[in-house]
């Protein structure tokens, strides 16, 4: 005989109530989702991308659509806020850690690969026999002539202890050689040089403000400051071309030269949690000795924090040109997939609410900068010299004349004829810098030819182009002093290393070091 379970009204009632609650909760969540602007906008974007990929007349990658939309989000922000991919974040990790895994070379783009501008002394490349002027044409069978400089450089970096097979072209002997180099932990160089000037002032060349900068400057000063109560004549801190780095390093470096409690800098952001004030917490490491900072249009961000704090406190004289004018602070957020965003989260300002940028909009991403106390023109910043510096021309010239240059420089100085020879090489190789006038004249000549202009018009266009090109060649003589100094710097670095190039050429011949010397010695 079968039996039937009794009907449990209470259980049915509870189940019904539970079901109704689930329906209401789901409906409420749906309503909340549709009412939340961020979620609804994301839904619309996803639907639009799906519709385009499904119905557009040509094949369209949905991934490319989202990448375009992702990048477009930042177009209305300042230039320092953008999307950061995983590879860029790895570079950021190097800045935060103060080191990277690599072979220890500084390179620039060359038509055949990467031109070696300097080799880290004692690093893997140095031990393997790399020299300044070599051209890295491939790594691990990847030809560098067809990829961008950033991609090529990333192939030279990797985990510490991992090998990389590098193919080098050596212009001096026209040889191509292959060398296996084992990557090592390479500390980032913050202090390019620290030593005494011919007038017994301490000179420190600072390249950036990444992790470890302040420690390196402190160590340099500890090794150079007079011992046993000796007198210090003054210190020159060179921040020219320094693009900045970590906000904390800037505050710590300024703290080295200020008395306890002295105001350094403040930040102001959208949230009150971004509003901070930083003051010095230690004593002046120089005990009040004269201090000068060399600045220029390339001194930005953290370099400006140090310069502004020391200038405002009356602690240092600024020498050179007006700084870049970046008074913004960036923060980073990383996503689970490894990518992330970099956003401007605050502005920094000095005492009395002195901002480098306009305060009403982040779209003012470049401000007025800091004016120097003593103006000195920076010839190195001129377009012609930048073009020569960034081309293989100068390196090729020094490599071809290395032995002769060293023999001459040990007993004499360079004559202007060396600059004439450099200009002749530029003419032969077609590597001449083109001014805006020459580019315009070239365009006119091409237009006249394509439009089949009359013979007199063609002749006039060609004469205009010729005169403009000759004027560009004249820039070599116009900048003879800077070019001769740069030739000597490269030759000394190839022969003796970076330290001696700074000691024997850069520091003694720098007009900015000379100006800073006059100003500091006048304060005593």
């Amino acid at each position: 005989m079968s039996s039937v379970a009794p009907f449990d009204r209470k259980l049915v009632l509870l189940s019904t109530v539970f079901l109704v609650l689930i329906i209401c909760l789901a409906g409420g969540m749906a309503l909340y989702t549709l009412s939340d602007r961020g979620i609804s906008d994301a839904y619309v974007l996803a639907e639009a991308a799906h519709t385009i990929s499904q119905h557009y007349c040509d094949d369209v990658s949905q991934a490319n659509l989202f990448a375009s939309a992702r990048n477009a989000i930042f177009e209305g922000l300042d230039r320092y806020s953008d999307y950061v991919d995983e590879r860029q974040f790895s570079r950021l990790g190097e800045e935060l850690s103060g080191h990277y895994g690599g072979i220890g070379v500084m390179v620039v783009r060359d038509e055949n690969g990467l031109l070696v501008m300097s080799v880290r002394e004692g690093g893997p490349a140095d031990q393997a026999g790399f020299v300044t002027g070599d051209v890295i044409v491939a790594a691990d069978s990847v030809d560098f002539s067809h990829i961008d400089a950033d991609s090529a450089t990333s192939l030279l970096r990797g985990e510490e202890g991992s090998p990389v097979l590098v193919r080098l072209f050596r212009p001096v002997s026209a040889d191509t050689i292959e060398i296996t180099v084992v990557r090592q932990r390479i500390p980032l160089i913050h202090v390019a040089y620290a030593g005494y000037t011919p007038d017994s002032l301490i000179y420190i060349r600072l390249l950036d403000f990444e992790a470890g900068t302040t420690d390196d400057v402190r160590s340099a000063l500890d090794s150079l400051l007079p011992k046993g109560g000796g007198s210090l004549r003054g210190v020159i801190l060179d921040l020219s071309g320094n693009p900045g780095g970590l906000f904390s390093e800037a505050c710590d470096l300024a703290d080295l030269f200020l008395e306890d409690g002295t105001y350094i800098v403040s930040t102001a952001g959208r949230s009150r949690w971004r509003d901070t004030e930083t003051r010095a917490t230690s004593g002046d490491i120089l005990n009040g000795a004269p201090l000068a900072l060399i600045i220029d249009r390339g001194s930005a961000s953290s370099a400006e924090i140090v310069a502004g704090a020391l200038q405002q406190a009356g602690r240092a004289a600024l020498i050179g040109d007006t700084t870049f004018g970046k008074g913004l602070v960036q923060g980073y957020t990383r996503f689970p997939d490894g990518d992330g965003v970099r956003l401007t989260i605050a502005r920094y300002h000095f005492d009395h609410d002195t901002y480098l940028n306009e305060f009403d909009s982040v779209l003012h991403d470049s401000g007025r900068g800091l004016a120097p106390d003593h103006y000195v023109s920076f010839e190195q910043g001129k377009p012609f010299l930048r073009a020569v510096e960034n081309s293989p021309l100068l390196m090729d010239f020094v490599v071809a004349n290395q032995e002769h240059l060293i023999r001459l420089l040990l007993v004499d100085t360079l004559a202007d004829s060396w600059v004439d020879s450099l200009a002749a090489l530029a003419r032969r190789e077609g590597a001449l810098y083109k001014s805006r006038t020459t580019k315009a004249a070239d365009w006119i000549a091409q237009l006249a030819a394509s439009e089949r202009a009359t013979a007199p018009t063609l002749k006039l266009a060609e004469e205009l182009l010729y005169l403009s090109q000759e004027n560009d060649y004249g820039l070599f003589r116009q900048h003879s002093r800077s070019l001769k100094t740069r030739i000597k710097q490269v030759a000394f670095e190839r022969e003796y290393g970076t330290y001696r190039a700074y000691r024997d050429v850069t520091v003694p011949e720098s007009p900015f070091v000379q100006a800073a010397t006059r100003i500091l010695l006048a304060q005593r």
Side-chain angles (χ1 to χ4, degrees):
M1 183 172 125
S2 63
S3 62
V4 180
F7 182 72
D8 192 335
R9 294 179 179 270
K10 185 177 180 180
L11 180 60
V12 172
L13 180 61
L14 288 174
S15 300
T16 303
V17 170
F18 184 64
L19 180 60
V20 170
L21 286 174
I22 291 177
I23 294 172
C24 291
L25 181 61
M29 290 179 64
L31 289 173
Y32 171 77
T33 299
L34 293 175
S35 64
D36 183 274
R37 184 60 183 269
I39 296 176
S40 62
D41 286 348
Y43 172 77
V44 170
L45 179 63
E47 281 297 299
H50 177 72
T51 301
I52 292 171
S53 64
Q54 291 294 314
H55 301 293
Y56 188 67
C57 60
D58 295 322
D59 290 336
V60 179
S61 167
Q62 195 166 21
N64 291 340
L65 288 174
F66 275 104
S68 298
R70 177 194 69 200
N71 294 331
I73 291 176
F74 296 92
E75 289 182 358
L77 307 180
D78 64 274
R79 77 177 88 172
Y80 309 109
S81 299
D82 57 7
Y83 192 84
V84 181
D85 62 31
E86 189 171 8
R87 185 173 66 176
Q88 291 172 310
F89 257 114
S90 67
R91 292 289 179 90
L92 175 63
E94 295 171 2
E95 297 172 4
L96 295 174
S97 65
H99 62 82
Y100 67 95
I103 64 173
V105 291
M106 182 179 293
V107 296
V108 296
R109 182 63 183 164
D110 179 82
E111 61 181 356
N112 297 314
L114 299 176
L115 175 65
V116 178
M117 300 298 289
S118 65
V119 181
R120 174 73 70 90
E121 295 175 30
D126 184 30
Q127 296 173 16
F130 285 55
V131 296
T132 303
D134 285 345
V135 179
I136 303 176
V137 297
D140 288 338
S141 301
V142 178
D143 189 340
F144 282 1
S145 62
H146 304 300
I147 61 177
D148 60 82
D150 190 51
S151 299
T153 302
S154 66
L155 291 173
L156 298 178
R157 300 192 177 195
E159 292 185 11
E160 181 182 356
S162 61
V164 56
L165 179 62
V166 179
R167 187 159 71 247
L168 289 177
F169 172 71
R170 185 153 288 165
V172 176
S173 57
D175 291 333
T176 299
I177 56 179
E178 288 191 341
I179 305 174
T180 297
V181 187
V182 178
R183 300 180 180 96
Q184 295 179 11
R185 183 179 182 272
I186 308 294
L188 296 177
I189 295 179
H190 312 299
V191 175
Y193 175 81
Y196 277 93
T197 72
D199 295 283
S200 300
L201 298 167
I202 293 177
Y203 170 85
I204 298 176
R205 177 70 172 110
L206 193 57
L207 300 178
D208 59 44
F209 280 87
E210 309 305 351
T213 296
T214 304
D215 289 339
D216 286 356
V217 172
R218 183 187 290 108
S219 297
L221 288 171
D222 287 343
S223 66
L224 294 170
L225 289 174
K227 303 298 189 294
S231 176
L232 174 63
R233 305 191 79 184
V235 174
I236 302 171
L237 185 61
D238 191 345
L239 300 180
S240 60
N242 189 314
L246 301 179
F247 180 85
S248 59
E249 288 289 349
C251 295
D252 290 344
L253 185 65
D255 195 351
L256 284 182
F257 307 108
L258 296 171
E259 293 298 338
D260 186 21
T262 306
Y263 180 90
I264 295 177
V265 72
S266 294
T267 62
R270 179 177 176 181
S271 166
R272 64 186 180 90
W273 301 109
R274 302 293 186 191
D275 296 347
T276 64
E277 180 182 286
T278 304
R279 291 182 176 272
T281 58
S282 59
D284 181 1
I285 194 172
L286 303 180
N287 293 318
L291 175 64
L293 271 58
I294 298 176
I295 56 172
D296 67 357
R297 294 285 180 180
S299 305
S301 186
S302 294
E304 292 177 288
I305 292 175
V306 174
L310 297 180
Q311 182 189 49
Q312 184 171 250
R315 181 63 190 89
L318 304 188
I319 298 167
D321 203 348
T322 302
T323 62
F324 180 80
K326 180 179 181 287
L328 308 176
V329 181
Q330 279 70 52
Y332 293 82
T333 300
R334 194 162 192 179
F335 303 141
D337 65 351
D339 292 356
V341 296
R342 175 177 57 196
L343 290 177
T344 295
I345 58 174
R347 279 184 175 79
Y348 65 77
H349 62 89
F350 302 109
D351 211 359
H352 308 299
D353 291 337
T354 303
Y355 288 85
L356 294 186
N357 297 78
E358 298 291 338
F359 189 64
D360 59 346
S361 171
V362 293
L363 297 181
H364 295 109
D365 54 17
S366 295
R368 59 182 179 274
L370 294 167
D373 300 302
H374 306 274
Y375 177 78
V376 179
S377 175
F378 266 76
E379 190 180 45
Q380 289 93 329
K382 296 185 180 298
F384 168 75
L385 290 173
R386 288 202 305 269
V388 172
E389 180 69 24
N390 294 330
S391 76
L393 175 69
L394 187 66
M395 186 65 69
D396 291 345
F397 180 76
V398 173
V399 168
N401 297 280
Q402 176 74 17
E403 293 184 9
H404 187 186
L405 280 168
I406 292 299
R407 286 198 303 270
L408 174 64
L409 291 172
L410 290 177
V411 296
D412 202 353
T413 59
L414 294 184
D416 287 341
S417 58
W418 281 90
V419 176
D420 295 336
S421 298
L422 178 64
L425 176 64
R427 191 188 290 271
R428 288 196 304 272
E429 296 189 357
L432 179 66
Y433 158 78
K434 287 186 178 182
S435 64
R436 294 175 62 182
T437 302
T438 299
K439 291 177 182 178
D442 191 20
W443 179 81
I444 291 171
Q446 292 183 37
L447 180 64
S450 64
E451 294 294 329
R452 298 182 179 180
T454 62
T457 301
L458 283 172
K459 183 179 180 181
L460 183 62
E462 291 171 356
E463 288 179 352
L464 177 64
L465 178 59
Y466 173 78
L467 291 173
S468 183
Q469 289 175 334
E470 288 304 303
N471 186 63
D472 287 350
Y473 278 113
L475 292 173
F476 280 89
R477 266 302 180 99
Q478 182 179 330
H479 297 286
S480 177
R481 175 180 174 179
S482 293
L483 289 173
K484 286 190 290 185
T485 296
R486 191 69 186 107
I487 290 170
K488 288 188 281 186
Q489 286 172 333
V490 175
F492 263 71
E493 183 169 343
R494 280 178 50 81
E495 188 74 16
Y496 304 114
T498 302
Y499 182 86
R500 187 165 173 184
Y502 265 99
R503 189 195 69 184
D504 294 350
V505 182
T506 306
V507 175
E509 298 194 10
S510 167
F512 316 105
V513 173
Q514 293 167 6
T517 300
R518 290 193 300 270
I519 292 163
L520 289 182
L521 294 183
Q523 295 179 18
R524 296 184 60 84

